[in-house]
Amino acid sequence: MKKYYCLLTILALVLAAMPARAVIYMVGNNPFGDWNPGRGVEMTDLGNGTYTLTANISGTVWFVFADGLDSNWSVFNSNYRYGPNGDGSQEVTVDNTYTTQKSNNNHSYKFIGSGKDYIFTFNLTSLTFSIGEYQEPPLPDPFTLEVGDVNGDGEINIADINGLIDIILGGFSNYDIRHRSDVNYDGEINIADINSIIDHLLGGELPEPVREGYDYVWDDTAIPEVHLSVSLNEWNRLLTLYDANSFTTQYIKADITFVKDGETTVIDGVGLRLKGNTSRRRPEGWNGQQHQRDNTDWHHAHFGVNLRKYHDDESHTLQGVRKLHLKWFKDDPAYVREIFCYELFKRAGVWTAVRNSYCRLWLHVEGDSKEAYFGVYELMEPIDKRYLKDRKYQFGSNDGFLWKCRNGASGLNNPNGDIWYDDDTDDRHAYTLQTKTEAFEAARAQLVDFMNKLNGLSDSEFYTWIQQVTDVDLLLKTYAVNVAVGMWDDYWNNANNYYIYFNGTGLNDYKFFFIPFDYDNTLGTSLRCGVQDDAGRQDPLHWGNDNNRLIARILKFDDFKAKYVAYLKELVDVKNALMDRASSQARIRSWQQRIEPYIDNDTGEDTSIEDKPAPWGNHGEYRLLKNNSDNFFTVKAAAINALN
């Protein structure tokens, strides 16, 4: 202990003479050749980062790593021992609080200083040691790993058959492994997948995925082109409609061309409208202006396309798809947040989440010399009748009541609130019935009865009732993802941005489903709103206003709370490759590399990819790709892992 206190005294003297800046200094208790520990060498200087030990040193060596900015340090012991016969044998031990790796005679120790991760490496052969900023080892692009490469080593061979056998017998497999293991694309992992790999190893071709219908349109392996063509009169009419009411839902006539994998589909006479809530934009110029042919002042805007608005026939669908939402990345300089969130829902098994993918968008107004390129957009699946029909098996029925809930007043706590139906006007309501509008009174009675029971039943009555009317596990898993990605503009905190579906039309004969919606203000985009001030560090058990009672009431019960916490911890567990920092960054980098060549556009807006949250947020320090204390994935994992 005396040596230890002496060492800290040396450290204090060294730090007193050091300039106050965020670097790492290293101090030791023995001089090793050309390194004198008493000097307190700055180890983050790459020019002085490697040192050679004097041979035949034995005993205990102390190292102190100190942050020159705030004098926080971490200490570990290393014991370097040489064999009595001079045979060069060595032994290295290290405090078990450090991450240790050994490869090619290198012992590496990871530690944190100045808000960053650093790596100290000692080489047993050359007797050298060095220190530098830690870099996560590169992970393979998750979107280029081939189906059949079960173990992810870049090859398809007998090892992958062994991996399949292990999975079939109950071995561990995360989402990525299961995706690569379904070799014949039948949705199951079984002996048929083993046979497919054997056939391939004997010279056969691996099965190709059949992409059609919704899978054809929302294909995350492609970035399709969407070309919109509008007459001058119709475009000017859209601008006039916006000027009269920026929340207009009225359509104009247009044509659309969809290009994917060399295949072109042209559909004439479709409906085109503007979309969005606070993100509504005039797509050209300013109030009162008509279309300008030269030097057009284009703006990013959200668009909705209804392929069957004016022609109700099969030729006015895109392989059965009737509607498309085209969304620009308004609040996301990283161009990845909503893509990440909906993909995470899918990874976590939340089947109620919509499909989405990237696309590129062009717009041509009649008479213009060329199309205007609007850049990279998000292609989203609408939540409507077709959404329900496509998931009929999971919902149990697609013939129920679908509600859109928004505007900060839809907390499922006011039976006398603003409840109406989609009447094809520009009016906006807290609860808007989207399906079976002819049965509005029955739908309203059902919704009001649900609210009364949600808010009025005793705890014991609620516990029994909620399990009868909904899949509580699915709801908890949905909300675990919602909270993990930092969705503050949601049902619980802000009474906003969600759909609900009752799969039956009777007053009490139904199953209730919560449908997540609108995930662009996430992954570090935070705002002082509701009970929140920090979407990264907010307590996941107290995420929002408990007057919005659905989740709050469920979590009052220990068994439901335990499931919710378990789902949260599964999301950030490294082995599951869901929302841990390394696998999340690998997916984000892959997406960004694919779209980066297409970002620059004719609007002059959002022309680069930046690792930042929305500029209007209250935590502009959050980052997704930097490995420091402001990394959102690191912060969120800490908040989740602190839960009991």
Side-chain angles (χ1 to χ4, degrees):
M1 291 298 297
K2 184 176 181 180
K3 286 185 177 181
Y4 177 70
Y5 286 119
C6 290
L7 181 59
L8 294 184
T9 301
I10 296 172
L11 173 64
L13 293 173
V14 171
L15 290 177
M18 295 296 182
R21 55 195 180 94
V23 294
I24 297 296
Y25 296 93
M26 179 174 172
V27 179
N29 70 331
N30 282 299
F32 293 156
D34 57 355
W35 178 67
N36 184 341
R39 293 203 301 259
V41 178
E42 178 186 333
M43 299 302 296
T44 46
D45 183 344
L46 295 180
N48 295 319
T50 302
Y51 299 89
T52 303
L53 301 180
T54 302
N56 299 322
I57 292 291
S58 63
T60 299
V61 182
W62 288 88
F63 295 103
V64 175
F65 295 105
D67 185 333
L69 182 64
D70 58 17
S71 298
N72 289 330
W73 55 73
S74 52
V75 182
F76 68 80
N77 293 338
S78 292
N79 185 287
Y80 305 100
R81 188 177 62 210
Y82 295 83
N85 299 321
D87 59 5
S89 60
Q90 305 104 8
E91 179 181 309
V92 178
T93 60
V94 66
D95 188 322
N96 60 14
T97 60
Y98 292 84
T99 301
T100 306
Q101 302 170 348
K102 180 180 179 181
S103 63
N104 299 324
N105 289 318
N106 283 326
H107 280 267
S108 298
Y109 314 107
K110 179 182 174 184
F111 64 97
I112 298 176
S114 297
K116 296 182 179 180
D117 292 339
Y118 287 88
I119 191 79
F120 169 83
T121 300
F122 172 61
N123 186 279
L124 297 175
T125 302
S126 63
L127 301 183
T128 60
F129 61 90
S130 61
I131 189 172
E133 186 173 343
Y134 178 77
Q135 299 293 328
E136 291 282 358
L139 293 177
D141 180 342
F143 304 105
T144 60
L145 288 175
E146 189 176 4
V147 172
D149 182 11
V150 177
N151 62 7
D153 65 355
E155 298 180 0
I156 299 178
N157 51 36
I158 192 67
D160 298 302
I161 294 177
N162 293 334
L164 275 173
I165 293 172
D166 184 57
I167 293 170
I168 293 170
L169 293 177
F172 170 79
S173 62
N174 60 31
Y175 177 88
D176 291 322
I177 295 171
R178 291 192 299 274
H179 173 72
R180 299 195 300 272
S181 300
D182 185 12
V183 185
N184 62 0
Y185 302 99
D186 66 352
E188 298 180 0
I189 301 172
N190 52 35
I191 190 67
D193 299 300
I194 295 176
N195 291 336
S196 294
I197 292 184
I198 292 174
D199 288 343
H200 174 66
L201 296 180
L202 294 175
E205 296 292 331
L206 285 173
E208 290 289 336
V210 177
R211 300 189 186 278
E212 55 188 10
Y214 277 71
D215 290 335
Y216 173 81
V217 175
W218 285 282
D219 177 1
D220 59 13
T221 68
I223 305 178
E225 299 180 9
V226 178
H227 300 260
L228 299 173
S229 181
V230 187
S231 73
L232 178 61
N233 287 339
E234 286 292 278
W235 185 251
N236 282 333
R237 187 165 75 87
L238 181 67
L239 298 178
T240 301
L241 287 167
Y242 178 89
D243 292 342
N245 178 5
S246 62
F247 288 107
T248 178
T249 60
Q250 303 307 300
Y251 284 94
I252 64 170
K253 291 183 179 179
D255 302 329
I256 186 172
T257 300
F258 189 87
V259 183
K260 176 178 177 285
D261 295 336
E263 182 178 348
T264 299
T265 304
V266 179
I267 305 175
D268 297 330
V270 305
L272 177 67
R273 53 164 286 199
L274 298 173
K275 289 188 67 64
N277 187 13
T278 58
S279 55
R280 283 285 182 121
R281 295 279 296 278
R282 198 179 199 268
E284 178 191 347
W286 303 101
N287 190 63
Q289 289 183 345
Q290 296 286 279
H291 178 59
Q292 305 294 309
R293 292 198 187 283
D294 299 319
N295 299 317
T296 310
D297 183 20
W298 297 111
H299 304 300
H300 278 145
H302 304 316
F303 296 101
V305 179
N306 185 341
L307 302 175
R308 301 184 85 169
K309 175 65 177 176
Y310 302 108
H311 303 278
D312 190 10
D313 56 56
E314 198 60 30
S315 66
H316 283 78
T317 70
L318 186 57
Q319 292 208 10
V321 175
R322 300 182 180 190
K323 291 182 180 179
L324 304 170
H325 287 178
L326 298 161
K327 189 171 183 180
W328 67 288
F329 290 84
K330 170 185 178 292
D331 294 323
D332 182 14
Y335 273 82
V336 77
R337 282 177 166 81
E338 200 156 45
I339 295 289
F340 180 95
C341 291
Y342 282 121
E343 205 253 1
L344 182 62
F345 276 118
K346 179 174 69 173
R347 284 173 167 262
V350 179
W351 54 265
T352 51
V354 300
R355 298 172 174 88
N356 70 338
S357 59
Y358 290 109
C359 70
R360 292 186 284 162
L361 177 64
W362 284 262
L363 174 69
H364 182 251
V365 177
E366 177 189 23
D368 287 1
S369 60
K370 66 182 184 67
E371 294 178 298
Y373 177 54
F374 273 57
V376 174
Y377 264 58
E378 182 183 358
L379 183 64
M380 293 197 66
E381 175 190 10
I383 300 175
D384 58 9
K385 293 179 183 178
R386 296 294 293 188
Y387 161 89
L388 298 175
K389 183 177 180 180
D390 191 59
R391 296 163 175 80
K392 179 179 178 179
Y393 174 78
Q394 293 99 320
F395 281 126
S397 167
N398 64 325
D399 196 34
F401 295 128
L402 175 69
W403 295 88
K404 183 176 183 178
C405 309
R406 61 184 176 190
N407 293 351
S410 48
L412 297 175
N413 54 16
N414 183 8
N416 298 313
D418 179 19
I419 303 173
W420 198 237
Y421 62 92
D422 186 357
D423 55 6
D424 203 27
T425 69
D426 295 338
D427 294 337
R428 298 161 61 79
H429 305 281
Y431 307 91
T432 305
L433 180 64
Q434 304 289 298
T435 59
K436 302 181 73 67
T437 55
E438 73 282 358
F440 169 70
E441 290 302 331
R444 185 184 186 281
Q446 184 189 67
L447 177 61
V448 168
D449 183 72
F450 179 85
M451 290 186 192
N452 286 332
K453 289 173 178 174
L454 168 62
N455 295 282
L457 291 176
S458 68
D459 284 350
S460 60
E461 291 171 330
F462 174 83
Y463 181 80
T464 300
W465 171 78
I466 195 65
Q467 294 179 85
Q468 293 172 344
V469 299
T470 195
D471 181 343
V472 177
D473 281 358
L474 176 62
L475 180 57
L476 290 173
K477 186 178 292 186
T478 301
Y479 234 87
V481 175
N482 181 88
V483 170
V485 299
M487 170 55 159
W488 54 270
D489 191 17
D490 66 337
Y491 161 74
W492 194 357
N493 185 59
N494 201 32
N496 197 22
N497 285 329
Y498 65 100
Y499 284 74
I500 54 178
Y501 177 60
F502 297 90
N503 72 353
T505 57
L507 191 63
N508 298 299
D509 184 19
Y510 60 78
K511 284 290 187 180
F512 163 85
F513 294 89
F514 181 95
I515 303 171
F517 176 68
D518 202 358
Y519 280 79
D520 46 7
N521 294 336
T522 55
L523 299 185
T525 290
S526 176
L527 192 68
R528 185 173 290 108
C529 174
V531 305
Q532 290 205 24
D533 182 66
D534 185 340
R537 296 176 176 85
Q538 178 71 24
D539 182 355
L541 294 174
H542 301 280
W543 184 253
N545 182 350
D546 286 351
N547 288 328
N548 305 327
R549 302 192 72 192
L550 178 61
I551 308 301
R553 288 207 76 178
I554 289 175
L555 294 183
K556 288 177 65 176
F557 301 97
D558 290 341
D559 52 344
F560 294 154
K561 175 184 172 183
K563 287 182 179 180
Y564 173 68
V565 171
Y567 286 141
L568 283 166
K569 292 189 176 183
E570 285 177 7
L571 290 170
V572 298
D573 190 329
V574 173
K575 72 175 184 295
N576 295 326
L578 293 170
M579 201 182 138
D580 63 288
R581 185 178 71 180
S583 68
S584 297
Q585 288 177 337
R587 298 198 298 276
I588 288 172
R589 288 190 176 99
S590 178
W591 282 318
Q592 290 179 336
Q593 288 169 5
R594 292 169 62 202
I595 66 173
E596 197 278 332
Y598 310 124
I599 294 297
D600 195 20
N601 62 85
D602 292 335
T603 71
E605 303 167 342
D606 317 301
T607 57
S608 62
I609 296 174
E610 299 181 74
D611 184 13
K612 298 189 298 186
W616 44 258
N618 69 328
H619 279 277
E621 74 277 9
Y622 277 131
R623 296 295 182 268
L624 302 178
L625 298 179
K626 290 187 177 179
N627 297 337
N628 56 21
S629 59
D630 294 324
N631 180 275
F632 178 79
F633 298 111
T634 300
V635 170
K636 180 59 71 172
I640 289 173
N641 286 326
L643 298 173
N644 294 321

